[in-house]
């Protein structure tokens, strides 16, 4: 039987959203087809305006495995979301547009023992209580992309993660946080660090399993960078808009022999060394976007066989 298009379901929900009995209609819709459940949940969350409606939602939120709230959340949602938290049993939680959500609410969400994947993006209001209990040992994926983390959520979360963690995307952590992260997550396969400053050398734990590494908009000490790219299974590396120059590229040539994907957008380096890197590694994909220097014919010849991103570059014919 051909599945009923979700686009039509979405349109149907929009048509009944203003009717007096829309809540019962929406709750009944999810019983028709299990694939409609998440779609209907998102619609319901968008319409939360009072505590009574939030309590109605509690009746079936326990069956949602992935809760993806993709509309802007502000401080006006704090009390209503707090009512829903005890009823959530989702494995994955995505909050893509937080605006001044309270730290207490975020910590309550992070405290859900059922969670395996968490994504929180935006701004958070308040500070972490260092005495607050938080157990992130079940997490497999953590994504914290916070515009202003004055409350220290990123550092606090790093200190609570466990050995099951496989993927991390996090911003503005310290070198000490990085050491803790690598010590607590030996199974880590993907690590994305953004806007971090690692100005002084530290000894990192041995890195065994990382396959994907991203250091974007970072300032990284030479010694720290060398330790990170020595990961034996590293196949994808992104150093876009990060400091380092030719010395970092020389290290990449020396240690990253299994590299298949390299992104160096806006990375300050000479074209001579860049060409050497491209010719010495068996790359499958390369991103060279937003380089200030004019790209020479020799460099363009070196990248002919690759899948290349050259957005924002200038060329010399």
């Amino acid at each position: 039987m051909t599945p009923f298009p979700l686009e039509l379901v979405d349109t149907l929900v929009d048509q009944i959203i203003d009717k007096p009995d829309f809540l019962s209609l929406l709750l009944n819709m999810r019983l028709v087809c299990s694939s409609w459940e998440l779609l209907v949940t998102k619609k319901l969350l968008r319409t939360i305006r009072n505590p009574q409606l939030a309590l109605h939602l509690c009746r079936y939120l326990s069956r949602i495995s992935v809760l993806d709230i993709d509309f802007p959340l502000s401080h006006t949602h704090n009390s209503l979301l707090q009512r829903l938290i005890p009823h959530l049993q989702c494995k994955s939680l995505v909050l893509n547009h937080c605006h001044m959500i309270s730290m207490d609410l975020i910590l309550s969400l992070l405290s859900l023992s059922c969670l395996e994947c968490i994504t929180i993006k935006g701004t958070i209001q308040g500070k972490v209580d260092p005495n607050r209990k938080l157990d992130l040992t079940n997490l497999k994926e953590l994504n914290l992309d916070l515009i202003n983390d004055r409350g220290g959520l990123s550092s606090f979360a790093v200190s609570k993660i466990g050995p099951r963690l496989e993927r991390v995307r996090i911003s503005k952590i310290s070198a000490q946080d990085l050491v803790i992260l690598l010590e607590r997550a030996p199974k880590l396969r993907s690590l994305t660090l953004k806007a971090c400053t690692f100005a002084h050398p530290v000894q990192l734990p041995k890195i065994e399993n990382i396959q994907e590494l991203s250091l974007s908009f970072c300032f990284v000490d030479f010694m720290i960078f060398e330790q990170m790219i020595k990961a034996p299974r590293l196949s994808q590396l992104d150093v876009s808009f990060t400091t380092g120059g030719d010395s970092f590229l020389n290290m990449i040539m020396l240690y990253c022999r299994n590299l298949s994907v390299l992104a160096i957008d806006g990375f300050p380096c000479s074209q001579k060394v860049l060409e050497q890197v491209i010719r010495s590694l068996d790359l499958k994909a390369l991103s060279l976007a937003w380089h200030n220097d004019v790209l020479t014919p020799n460099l363009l010849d070196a990248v002919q066989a690759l899948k290349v991103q050259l957005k924002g570059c200038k060329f010399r014919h």
Side-chain angles (χ1 to χ4, degrees), residues 142-160:
L142 174 65
N143 301 295
L144 293 179
D145 192 355
L146 306 177
I147 297 172
N148 191 345
D149 192 15
R150 290 177 181 170
L153 179 62
S154 294
S155 295
F156 187 62
V158 165
S159 69
K160 304 297 180 181

Side-chain angles (χ1 to χ4, degrees), residues 155-171:
S155 295
F156 187 62
V158 165
S159 69
K160 304 297 180 181
I161 59 175
R164 298 184 66 194
L165 199 64
E166 296 180 359
R167 304 182 68 87
V168 171
R169 180 185 180 91
I170 202 164
S171 57

Side-chain angles (χ1 to χ4, degrees), residues 290-310:
W290 307 111
H291 271 262
N292 292 326
D293 292 340
V294 177
L295 301 186
T296 63
N298 285 342
L299 184 60
L300 293 175
D301 179 64
V303 303
Q304 277 186 355
L306 304 177
K307 181 180 179 182
V308 185
Q309 165 67 268
L310 296 173

